[in-house]
Amino acid sequence: MNTIKLLGKSGNNTVVGDYRHNGSKSGDFEQRFVLLTFNPKLKTTNHMKLYKLILFLLSLNVVVHAQQRVKPVPVETGVSYGLAQYRHSVISNVEYIVLFKVPLKRTDDITGVSRLTFNLKDVSQPLQIDFKQNAEHVKDVRLSGEEMIPFEVKDEHIIIAPKYLKAGPNDIAVDFIAGNGSLNRNDDYLYALFVPDRARTVFPCFDQPDLKATFKLGLRVPKEWKALANGRIKDVTDDGDFKRYVFNTSDKLPTYLFSFTAGTYASVTQVIGNRNAEFLHRETDSAKISLSVDSIFKAHEDAISFLENWTGIPFPFQKVGFVAIPDFQFGGMEHPGEVQYKASGLFLDEGATKDQFIARSNVISHETAHMWFGDMVTMEWFNDVWMKEVFANFMADKVTEKLMGAETFNLKFLQDHYPAAYGVDRTMGANPIRQQLDNLQDAGSLYGNIIYHKAPIMMRQLESLMGKANFQKGIREYLKKYAYGNATWPQLIAILSKYSTANLYTWNKVWVSQPGRPVFDYKVSYRGNKIGSLSVSQHPEMGAPRIWPQVFNITLVYADHQKTIPVDVNARHMELKVAVGLAKPLFILFNSGGMGYGLFPADKAVAAGLFNLQSPLQRASAYINAYENMLAGLAFKPAELLKLYLQGISIEKNEMNLRLLTGYITNIYWTFTLPKDRLMLSPMVEQALWTAMEQQTAANNKKILFGAYQNVYLSAEAKSRIYQVWLTQNPPAGIKLAEDDYTGMALSIALKSDTPTSVLKQQQARVSNPERKTRLAFLMPALSLNVQERDAFFNSLADRKNRTKEAWVTTALSYLNHPLRQGTSIKYLPKSLDLVEELQRTGDVFFPQSWLAAVFGSYQTKEAYEIVRDFLEQHPDYNPKLRDKILQATDNLYRAQGVLGR
Ligand SMILES: [Zn+2]
């Protein structure tokens, strides 16, 4: 959209615009705010320094522009890499003063002022300030807070003509109406979530990570609201129905980390280490509060202390603060001083499983690790966003390792990362860890399981290649060198190379710059009862020939002992000489330590001894490997594997492993079993799960199996059993269920009932928390027995305003597209695909993929497959990153065509 709000010809000062909003008239808060935030003394000193600098720059400019006329950077939507590079080369010392005035009514506009001060080197071309709103949102633009100047609004930018720019310090203030989308406005709270490029949708700024700036924030909010931001609160005053908050100047931040929240929150403060930490939340369940609050602070304290030790750098920001937000889009977001978390991940009740406790500690450690990785040292451009994520995960894992011991940690690492990474890397839409990014507006599409899960695996392989001590030295040097600045992955590799004898550049090429995984084969020959030779070889699952250097273990399993052979592969083919002469094993377990990455051979003989393996890690690695082989059409057919896994559920006592097994069971059951076979299998599967639940003794294991039972049941007997549990709130012996569990149960009852039922209404009446009530109301039409009602619900999702709670939408979609409903919901598939581009433009970063996963997660028919294929054929010029997301999300559907012999 090219909306031009011009204002006078160049060369005179005539302004056609709205004078009513000039600085002196827009209220005393601005005046007071500016007084509070500008330190006159400091300013003077700055000005003197700047004066000298100006003289210098002026002379420089003359030289620069005499020699090379820089080609003007074109004005285009988003933030192009070209614009970012140009601005980085000419703009420095950026400071923002930002003021937001939040009205009493959610539907009224939030108005604001964004005052940018910065040094500028080049005044030969117009200045582009990012603001993704139409011209009506820009009220006026003033120089030094006073003089109104003409401006143009074009392609998501406010354009200032060169004649209003100075070489040296500039001071430009914009009065604006804020965009609402990324302020997440609710009736009684809001929160700013700007990652990766949403700051520019809310207020005028230079929205790129390598123009770090300080932020002075002022908020005027309804008087009962509390507020939390990057800086400490400096001043609070009453103003009739409102309160005015002024915050201290923030540390230097990129725009995507500038944030605040305000609303009717409860505030808790505790001292952790030697600092005050503040926590805002909206939880109403007093049991959850008393069970969780101390642990939440403690987890922050543990994580901070671990990271200070590991990095050798004290906590790098002025304060610790965090907020629990109901139905937050992500698990957490790492704004310094105002980390945002999904409330349900922090507040656990007494029914919570060990996994949930570990996940909570992990998400807190992850966001805390970001203070050093991402917040203190930031990527130069969002193509390296994976770096901050991999380090956050890597460090969170180290905290977890310390808390739970190496063995549990290795198991958790395997389960957290490998299945998720394979889930993308085995598909035709696989992307490399490091991707090209031409425009920040596409940054959201970089996020995904490769960044979050393959990258940590790669980093652990790198650490083992370099040795832990060398790796840590390299990382410390990198953090010190780039503290409060920006750095690229090649800059880190250059530092790490100093501490490694291996060639990290070739290593980097295959692991980081290219997608995909290796497939390993083996050859074994026996001489009598002894191994004559054992060799492994690797080839890419897809694409050009290449080698993944890596370490993994092979274990020879005998009746009464094991022999483990460490393998360090850096070639296509390797003879394992150490194996020659060893006794013939019962079976060979590949990747028995879980470190190796790729598709490993599954020795079918493993099945016989699988559940006798003593090590939970070995069993988990074997479970994963068997599943990957089934998907590849090797070793196991789905029905065989389903049977094998079901044998294990009463024997497997490890909670994480049991969760993995039941996940695979439900997945094979719904996605890789034909409906007619499923009906035949279902009594056996129900029975096996119920029996195992009774046989297992640990409460969490029972609960996991009860959950799987609820997921698969189809028989009339099971229906009445589950209904009784829900109705009487009397769970099977040894299992504790909380409100959220009963809500989930009510949803599954509604899904599986073929007679109209009022369970959801009744469940809603049982729930007291207003947000959880509203969520149920939202989900109800998606579970309606009435097809027209479900259709109407699906159609309503085309309207953005019905998609604001993205977590609710994806839950609703997974019910709408459940295998039991696919007969009537397959017609939603084309429209679901059509909407993806819009979701990417309007939703949060994970939304396109979570939408696609919720829609396509359990389809298996040829008809569904053809809808996807036709869509891709009919859109040859489709955004390649979104195309990849579609291929990733529909990989099971694609494989089902082969595996089920369609
Ligand atoms: Zn993160």
Side-chain angles (χ1 to χ4, degrees):
M1 197 165 73
N2 286 11
T3 318
I4 294 176
K5 181 178 181 181
L6 177 73
L7 317 156
K9 297 169 270 179
S10 77
N12 71 41
N13 257 347
T14 319
V15 175
V16 185
D18 188 347
Y19 272 101
R20 283 166 301 175
H21 290 262
N22 92 21
S24 59
K25 286 183 189 163
S26 46
D28 68 333
F29 185 30
E30 281 92 333
Q31 296 296 330
R32 186 181 158 74
F33 178 63
V34 169
L35 279 176
L36 272 164
T37 47
F38 269 122
N39 180 337
K41 209 169 135 201
L42 192 75
K43 219 51 200 174
T44 322
T45 335
N46 276 348
H47 274 137
M48 286 166 68
K49 272 191 216 151
L50 290 173
Y51 179 67
K52 287 183 191 164
L53 193 66
I54 295 165
L55 292 179
F56 168 71
L57 289 174
L58 279 174
S59 62
L60 194 74
N61 264 337
V62 173
V63 178
V64 167
H65 292 108
Q67 287 175 352
Q68 41 159 64
R69 285 266 161 216
V70 187
K71 217 173 129 204
V73 179
V75 179
E76 53 187 305
T77 59
V79 181
S80 70
Y81 187 47
L83 174 64
Q85 280 183 308
Y86 167 72
R87 284 198 305 213
H88 181 79
S89 70
V90 299
I91 293 174
S92 59
N93 291 356
V94 187
E95 294 177 12
Y96 293 90
I97 297 178
V98 195
L99 173 69
F100 292 100
K101 295 202 282 184
V102 181
L104 296 174
K105 267 176 62 194
R106 178 167 68 105
T107 43
D108 290 348
D109 286 337
I110 293 179
T111 55
V113 185
S114 175
R115 186 165 181 173
L116 296 83
T117 57
F118 52 93
N119 277 327
L120 185 64
K121 269 192 204 167
D122 175 19
V123 292
S124 71
Q125 55 175 298
L127 177 73
Q128 299 188 33
I129 299 174
D130 308 326
F131 191 45
K132 190 182 171 184
Q133 293 297 338
N134 60 31
E136 287 70 51
H137 280 242
V138 185
K139 288 302 172 192
D140 49 50
V141 177
R142 289 171 285 135
L143 285 189
S144 306
E146 306 268 332
E147 182 199 351
M148 305 236 305
I149 55 162
F151 58 92
E152 187 185 352
V153 176
K154 187 182 175 193
D155 288 338
E156 307 176 358
H157 294 93
I158 299 169
I159 312 223
I160 311 289
K163 63 175 292 207
Y164 301 104
L165 305 170
K166 292 178 289 181
N170 286 262
D171 174 350
I172 298 176
V174 184
D175 294 308
F176 63 95
I177 298 172
N180 283 328
S182 298
L183 288 177
N184 299 282
R185 294 178 70 180
N186 292 272
D187 286 335
D188 55 354
Y189 69 100
L190 58 78
Y191 57 96
L193 178 59
F194 294 161
V195 70
D197 70 327
R198 304 288 153 89
R200 66 192 179 92
T201 68
V202 172
F203 71 101
C205 58
F206 301 123
D207 204 359
Q208 62 187 78
D210 61 349
L211 280 180
K212 286 191 172 183
T214 57
F215 291 83
K216 294 171 182 176
L217 171 68
L219 291 176
R220 193 192 70 170
V221 296
K223 68 169 181 242
E224 351 27 87
W225 288 22
K226 294 196 169 68
L228 190 69
N230 304 110
R232 286 183 194 286
I233 293 174
K234 180 173 183 171
D235 187 64
V236 192
T237 45
D238 290 327
D239 175 13
D241 289 339
F242 298 94
K243 239 193 192 120
R244 299 153 169 183
Y245 285 88
V246 175
F247 295 88
N248 276 346
T249 306
S250 76
D251 302 282
K252 266 180 114 180
L253 300 173
T255 38
Y256 81 92
L257 290 174
F258 166 56
S259 179
F260 53 89
T261 184
T264 51
Y265 285 108
S267 162
V268 194
T269 309
Q270 282 193 13
V271 176
I272 59 171
N274 53 359
R275 25 182 108 65
N276 272 319
E278 188 180 3
F279 175 28
L280 298 188
H281 70 81
R282 295 169 54 78
E283 183 54 60
T284 49
D285 181 335
S286 58
K288 280 187 181 176
I289 293 173
S290 64
L291 281 168
S292 303
V293 168
D294 288 349
S295 316
I296 294 167
F297 280 101
K298 180 75 170 59
H300 281 91
E301 185 172 6
D302 289 344
I304 290 173
S305 133
F306 178 88
L307 279 144
E308 288 185 328
N309 280 326
W310 199 92
T311 60
I313 298 173
F315 185 80
F317 292 94
Q318 58 177 275
K319 73 171 237 258
V320 178
F322 42 93
V323 52
I325 294 169
D327 299 299
F328 186 59
Q329 291 90 328
F330 319 142
M333 179 61 210
E334 68 265 21
H335 316 112
E338 192 249 352
V339 179
Q340 297 171 346
Y341 292 104
K342 184 183 286 210
S344 59
L346 292 191
F347 285 100
L348 302 180
D349 56 41
E350 52 176 1
T353 61
K354 192 171 153 195
D355 277 10
Q356 287 174 294
F357 286 108
I358 293 173
R360 176 172 73 189
S361 144
N362 208 258
V363 71
I364 291 173
S365 304
H366 177 110
E367 304 311 333
T368 306
H370 272 312
M371 298 302 137
W372 288 260
F373 297 96
D375 295 4
M376 186 185 80
V377 179
T378 307
M379 65 270 173
E380 209 170 272
W381 182 237
F382 258 87
N383 66 327
D384 273 331
V385 64
W386 66 276
M387 278 175 78
K388 75 181 180 72
E389 293 314 321
V390 69
F391 278 118
N393 267 349
F394 193 72
M395 290 297 143
D397 285 339
K398 285 191 181 293
V399 177
T400 315
E401 182 175 13
K402 211 180 154 204
L403 291 175
M404 60 171 57
E407 206 179 309
T408 316
F409 166 73
N410 288 338
L411 177 61
K412 184 176 155 46
F413 189 91
L414 174 68
Q415 297 212 3
D416 278 358
H417 300 310
Y418 286 73
Y422 293 156
V424 177
D425 226 9
R426 72 166 99 86
T427 74
M428 288 183 293
N431 58 275
I433 291 176
R434 194 168 199 243
Q435 295 171 266
Q436 190 182 321
L437 177 67
D438 298 328
N439 192 311
L440 205 59
Q441 67 189 353
D442 302 322
S445 62
L446 300 175
Y447 288 82
N449 282 348
I450 291 298
I451 285 185
Y452 283 96
H453 299 294
K454 184 180 180 182
I457 294 168
M458 172 279 286
M459 203 53 97
R460 199 156 167 240
Q461 285 283 349
L462 179 59
E463 187 189 38
S464 99
L465 180 75
M466 293 178 63
K468 283 193 177 186
N470 282 334
F471 181 77
Q472 187 178 11
K473 272 186 213 152
I475 300 296
R476 283 180 168 203
E477 181 179 328
Y478 154 84
L479 287 174
K480 264 213 187 87
K481 182 167 178 186
Y482 296 106
Y484 302 99
N486 301 80
T488 63
W489 170 245
Q491 285 168 326
L492 173 57
I493 282 289
I495 290 178
L496 293 181
S497 286
K498 295 197 291 187
Y499 297 93
S500 173
T501 49
N503 184 337
L504 294 189
Y505 294 97
T506 40
W507 179 90
N508 179 51
K509 205 175 149 198
V510 62
W511 276 97
V512 179
S513 306
Q514 295 175 345
R517 61 178 185 173
V519 179
F520 287 94
D521 292 314
Y522 76 111
K523 275 205 179 97
V524 64
S525 69
Y526 296 105
R527 272 188 226 121
N529 236 356
K530 299 233 184 312
I531 294 178
S533 67
L534 176 61
S535 66
V536 291
S537 61
Q538 61 169 309
H539 66 270
E541 194 169 25
M542 277 179 257
R546 57 205 189 276
I547 306 293
W548 282 256
Q550 59 175 307
V551 293
F552 59 85
N553 288 344
I554 292 178
T555 296
L556 310 176
V557 181
Y558 301 93
D560 53 354
H561 73 287
Q562 296 186 341
K563 168 78 187 164
T564 293
I565 303 171
V567 185
D568 186 346
V569 281
N570 49 21
R572 184 154 313 166
H573 179 92
M574 275 186 85
E575 288 292 335
L576 302 177
K577 300 243 162 58
V578 288
V580 176
L582 296 175
K584 182 178 179 178
L586 294 176
F587 57 87
I588 303 175
L589 204 57
F590 290 88
N591 195 23
S592 52
M595 270 283 280
Y597 185 77
L599 180 60
F600 289 88
D603 184 345
K604 245 189 142 173
V606 171
L610 181 56
F611 302 108
N612 296 330
L613 291 169
Q614 290 303 303
S615 151
L617 180 66
Q618 288 185 354
R619 294 197 300 275
S621 182
Y623 300 157
I624 293 170
N625 205 25
Y627 183 76
E628 293 298 322
N629 272 271
M630 181 279 287
L631 288 182
L634 303 166
F636 297 96
K637 292 208 177 336
E640 286 174 336
L641 195 56
L642 182 68
K643 250 188 215 149
L644 177 65
Y645 287 157
L646 283 169
Q647 283 169 27
I649 55 175
S650 50
I651 310 169
E652 180 58 76
K653 297 292 188 289
N654 182 284
E655 184 184 324
M656 283 188 264
N657 279 357
L658 195 59
R659 194 176 292 280
L660 180 71
L661 274 183
T662 52
Y664 282 148
I665 287 168
T666 53
N667 191 25
I668 297 174
Y669 179 82
W670 289 115
T671 311
F672 295 102
T673 306
L674 295 172
K676 62 177 170 54
D677 299 336
R678 192 186 304 136
L679 268 180
M680 266 169 20
L681 278 170
S682 123
M684 185 268 285
V685 178
E686 281 176 16
Q687 185 61 43
L689 286 165
W690 191 266
T691 309
M693 179 192 78
E694 289 181 324
Q695 286 173 354
Q696 291 269 0
T697 49
N700 285 344
N701 289 357
K702 283 176 176 290
K703 196 172 174 182
I704 290 168
L705 290 160
F706 184 58
Y709 181 84
Q710 283 180 70
N711 180 299
V712 301
Y713 78 83
L714 291 172
S715 71
E717 189 200 348
K719 281 180 188 173
S720 95
R721 192 179 234 167
I722 292 295
Y723 181 74
Q724 283 306 316
V725 171
W726 172 81
L727 187 68
T728 60
Q729 303 198 47
N730 187 14
I735 295 179
K736 268 191 198 147
L737 298 177
E739 182 188 283
D740 292 347
D741 300 310
Y742 286 108
T743 297
M745 207 177 282
L747 291 164
S748 93
I749 292 168
L751 173 74
K752 289 176 182 179
S753 169
D754 38 19
T755 51
T757 154
S758 55
V759 276
L760 292 179
K761 283 246 153 64
Q762 289 179 55
Q763 182 63 26
Q764 196 187 23
R766 288 178 182 177
V767 173
S768 58
N769 179 297
E771 259 131 2
R772 293 197 271 270
K773 263 187 193 301
T774 318
R775 173 177 179 263
L776 263 176
F778 179 87
L779 294 176
M780 271 181 211
L783 283 136
S784 169
L785 269 183
N786 178 335
V787 180
Q788 281 91 42
E789 205 176 328
R790 296 205 300 267
D791 291 353
F793 174 83
F794 175 75
N795 292 329
S796 77
L797 297 178
D799 187 342
R800 186 185 177 185
K801 72 174 190 302
N802 298 319
R803 300 193 300 257
T804 50
K805 298 278 187 186
E806 294 176 358
W808 297 2
V809 171
T810 50
T811 304
L813 283 171
S814 61
Y815 284 114
L816 272 181
N817 292 283
H818 190 277
L820 297 174
R821 294 276 166 85
Q822 286 173 1
T824 55
S825 55
I826 191 163
K827 62 175 179 284
Y828 307 147
L829 297 187
K831 182 73 187 165
S832 300
L833 289 166
D834 284 340
L835 280 170
V836 171
E837 274 185 317
E838 186 186 320
L839 301 178
Q840 195 217 0
R841 275 199 311 276
T842 58
D844 270 300
V845 293
F846 299 115
F847 198 34
Q849 68 206 67
S850 59
W851 167 283
L852 284 165
V855 170
F856 287 98
S858 56
Y859 278 94
Q860 55 169 221
T861 61
K862 189 163 182 239
E863 196 186 350
Y865 172 68
E866 283 170 353
I867 290 171
V868 178
R869 196 196 55 197
D870 292 351
F871 177 86
L872 293 175
E873 274 175 16
Q874 285 154 14
H875 296 81
D877 300 324
Y878 200 64
N879 175 330
K881 290 200 168 74
L882 286 183
R883 182 188 178 84
D884 285 349
K885 298 273 180 229
I886 292 175
L887 288 169
Q888 291 167 15
T890 57
D891 186 61
N892 275 355
L893 174 57
Y894 161 73
R895 283 174 192 271
Q897 309 313 303
V899 170
L900 293 173
R902 287 176 181 281

